[in-house]
Amino acid sequence: MSRSAHPAGPRHADVLPEGHYTAPAADLNVLDPKVWSRTVDRDERGVVTVGGIGVDALAEEFGTPAYFLDETDFRARCRAWAEAFGKDADVFYAGKAFLSRAVVRWLKEEGLNLDVCSGGELATALSAGMPAERIAFHGNNKSEEEIRTAVEAGVGRIVLDSFQEIVRVAHTAQSLGKRQRVQIRVTVGVEAHTHEFIATAHEDQKFGIALAGGQAAEAVRRALKLDGLELIGIHSHIGSQIFDMAGFEVSARRVVQLLAEVRDEHGVELPEIDLGGGLGIAYTSEDDPREPHEIAKALGEIVTRECGAAGLTTPRISVEPGRAIVGPTAFTLYRVGTVKPLEGLRTYVSVDGGMSDNIRTALYDAEYSVSLVSRTSDAAPMLSRVVGKHCESGDIVVRDAFLPADVAPGDLIAVPATGAYCRSMASNYNHALRPPVVAVREGEARVIVRRETEEDLLRLDVG
Ligand SMILES: Cc1ncc(COP(=O)(O)O)c(C=O)c1O
């Protein structure tokens, strides 16, 4: 979002409370391929299509609001990540971004592994046939039951997040007569978001075991002593929506330093490191994400250099992108219900969903873009705020964006790049029915997660 002079002139510029806004130079009818999934286009009628199907037909068949997931794009992104990291590294898709059984099958077919962080995600993965050895199990407070299920299933790794958990997993594995492969999640004193990272001495957060004060070294000491555990490596995750590799550089250096300390103290070279996820995507035209091959090259070089300097054999690297795979592959389709111009401020465009299908704007002040998709328009750009239908004034989907001034009730508008952390964080606030996820591929659309019904809500309410 750029802020300078509003197109409507001084009348608006005088009173806009949060800065001034420049109408985009680009034609509002043009869809920026950076923020839309790869098979999105406009047909000869001006209607936006995905996988060759018009949004008018999709709205007719599946209703609104709804998430439309471009399966072709999702699979292509999986392949790009797998190819970029190659045979000597592992890519784990972070299921928290969005998980369903169809997604698990696509991941399996495209050669990716899966990171889950709850019993529910693990059950989804196993029920869709993901081989257990390709699953990593995360979480800062896994229940005894979750640990037992994961060990019994034979997950490829459990990422240990606390001293208590080291003992719990070891005990469970031993009681089942197993030796569980584990990594220890460390906090490296780096926090990274978008173009900035902050290196701190101590970590003030719930995840991981701090490198600072020798806690992580102590965790390694304890894990190495327990028969139920096979310690295979160290894990670090530093933030989200990151474009700059500088934070990863500091994180890798600190993790490698720990590997060197472990070698010196125990005579053991741990064979794996995981650098987590957090890689950024384009939510608006101003975001410039890196391609998977650039990320793979940069991370490979950092780790190889740091290990070389420490005299260590380079460990096997793994990463856990969630947003960077699924985020750009979906858009949310809404129907406009009301249009309310506020003189001198902006126009509120209300849609039939809101914070229950996209909490990120309210929660993180996330930025999104939006387009009129049921037709083209030559009307002037109008500073708009896309809001939902919930009883909450913070119920904003797109804070500030330009829509054509003739946008009207009945129009379809769509918010791109909603594949990650929208359906997975959706709620029933105001007893909203969570929207369906519809996968679209080569002219075919099918529901992969169905729309909730009032019967679904009432079934849980046992009276
Ligand atoms: C341990 C871990 N791995 C991976 C991810 C995925 O992050 P992203 O979707 O930003 O790539 C997260 C996100 O919170 C995480 O905590």
Side-chain angles (χ1 to χ4, degrees):
M1 181 180 60
S2 47
R3 300 179 183 203
S4 60
H6 186 264
R11 184 170 60 91
H12 288 255
D14 285 347
V15 286
L16 277 172
E18 298 165 16
H20 307 157
Y21 299 81
T22 307
D27 179 349
L28 290 184
N29 297 312
V30 175
L31 302 168
D32 183 348
K34 267 208 287 190
V35 297
W36 291 90
S37 70
R38 88 188 49 188
T39 76
V40 165
D41 204 351
R42 269 193 203 270
D43 66 16
E44 60 291 345
R45 300 170 302 153
V47 175
V48 168
T49 61
V50 56
I53 311 178
V55 292
D56 51 350
L58 292 171
E60 175 80 23
E61 185 171 354
F62 301 104
T64 55
Y67 307 98
F68 292 95
L69 203 166
D70 187 338
E71 182 182 340
T72 307
D73 195 16
F74 185 96
R75 286 178 179 272
R77 285 175 194 277
C78 290
R79 283 196 294 276
W81 277 88
E83 280 163 23
F85 279 83
K87 292 207 176 332
D88 298 328
D90 298 299
V91 181
F92 286 75
Y93 168 76
K96 65 205 80 177
F98 172 66
L99 197 65
S100 76
R101 288 195 273 197
V103 162
V104 173
R105 286 187 205 106
W106 302 340
L107 295 168
K108 193 175 142 193
E109 287 165 16
E110 302 301 344
L112 259 60
N113 307 290
L114 176 61
D115 141 12
V116 300
C117 67
S118 71
E121 288 185 359
L122 179 60
T124 304
L126 294 174
S127 81
M130 178 58 88
E133 63 274 14
R134 282 168 62 182
I135 298 175
F137 191 39
H138 273 275
N140 68 300
N141 186 18
K142 305 169 190 77
S143 69
E144 301 267 4
E145 196 184 334
E146 286 173 325
I147 292 170
R148 176 166 284 270
T149 308
V151 174
E152 269 176 347
V155 298
R157 62 170 83 144
I158 294 182
V159 182
L160 302 172
D161 200 276
S162 66
F163 284 104
Q164 290 88 348
E165 205 171 77
I166 293 173
V167 180
R168 273 180 211 150
V169 173
H171 177 78
T172 305
Q174 224 172 353
S175 70
L176 292 168
K178 293 195 170 202
R179 192 150 185 255
Q180 177 62 50
R181 287 160 54 87
V182 295
Q183 292 188 340
I184 292 176
R185 178 167 175 176
V186 301
T187 42
V188 291
V190 171
E191 204 181 313
H193 298 285
T194 311
H195 299 293
E196 288 176 347
F197 80 93
I198 309 166
T200 56
H202 300 283
E203 278 289 11
D204 187 1
Q205 60 144 312
K206 71 171 186 168
F207 289 111
I209 300 176
L211 282 177
Q215 290 194 57
E218 175 58 20
V220 170
R221 222 167 271 135
R222 294 190 195 180
L224 285 174
K225 279 193 193 130
L226 293 165
D227 291 338
L229 304 181
E230 179 188 351
L231 180 61
I232 55 168
I234 301 297
H235 180 286
S236 154
H237 171 81
I238 56 171
S240 60
Q241 188 58 3
I242 306 166
F243 295 131
D244 188 334
M245 302 308 282
F248 287 105
E249 177 128 21
V250 178
S251 158
R253 189 176 314 133
R254 293 184 180 176
V255 168
V256 170
Q257 219 173 331
L258 176 63
L259 294 184
E261 282 169 33
V262 171
R263 176 206 50 202
D264 295 345
E265 183 177 341
H266 307 281
V268 174
E269 286 201 21
L270 298 179
E272 294 183 10
I273 67 171
D274 189 307
L275 294 171
L279 298 141
I281 63 165
Y283 284 106
T284 74
S285 298
E286 277 144 54
D287 295 327
D288 282 310
R290 291 181 173 225
E291 293 296 323
H293 68 267
E294 294 175 88
I295 295 163
K297 183 166 179 285
L299 293 181
E301 283 172 2
I302 294 168
V303 174
T304 305
R305 190 187 59 232
E306 294 301 325
C307 287
L312 287 164
T313 309
T314 305
R316 191 174 177 87
I317 301 172
S318 53
V319 285
E320 297 169 341
R323 183 194 319 269
I325 292 178
V326 72
T329 68
F331 62 83
T332 314
L333 186 65
Y334 299 103
R335 196 171 293 278
V336 173
T338 67
V339 176
K340 200 182 282 184
L342 295 192
E343 182 63 21
L345 290 170
R346 55 174 65 75
T347 296
Y348 278 72
V349 177
S350 296
V351 295
D352 47 1
M355 64 193 296
S356 58
D357 59 72
N358 187 348
I359 190 65
R360 294 191 64 257
T361 308
L363 193 61
Y364 309 124
D365 227 359
E367 289 197 19
Y368 282 95
S369 40
V370 60
S371 293
L372 174 62
V373 290
S374 45
R375 61 185 173 91
T376 52
S377 167
D378 294 329
M382 171 178 77
L383 182 62
S384 310
R385 177 162 289 175
V386 179
V387 294
K389 57 180 288 170
H390 297 286
C391 293
E392 164 66 50
S393 54
D395 175 22
I396 296 168
V397 180
V398 186
R399 192 168 296 281
D400 288 299
F402 284 86
L403 281 167
D406 63 352
V407 71
D411 278 333
L412 292 170
I413 63 174
V415 176
T418 58
Y421 305 106
C422 286
R423 180 59 179 80
S424 64
M425 290 179 120
S427 77
N428 292 120
Y429 180 50
N430 295 150
H431 285 204
L433 305 171
R434 286 180 295 176
V437 183
V438 179
V440 186
R441 184 185 180 187
E442 293 170 6
E444 280 182 27
R446 70 185 173 104
V447 173
I448 58 171
V449 179
R450 74 159 167 78
R451 186 185 297 284
E452 271 178 336
T453 61
E454 287 175 3
E455 291 72 52
D456 290 328
L457 291 183
L458 294 173
R459 200 173 302 135
L460 297 179
D461 181 341
V462 293

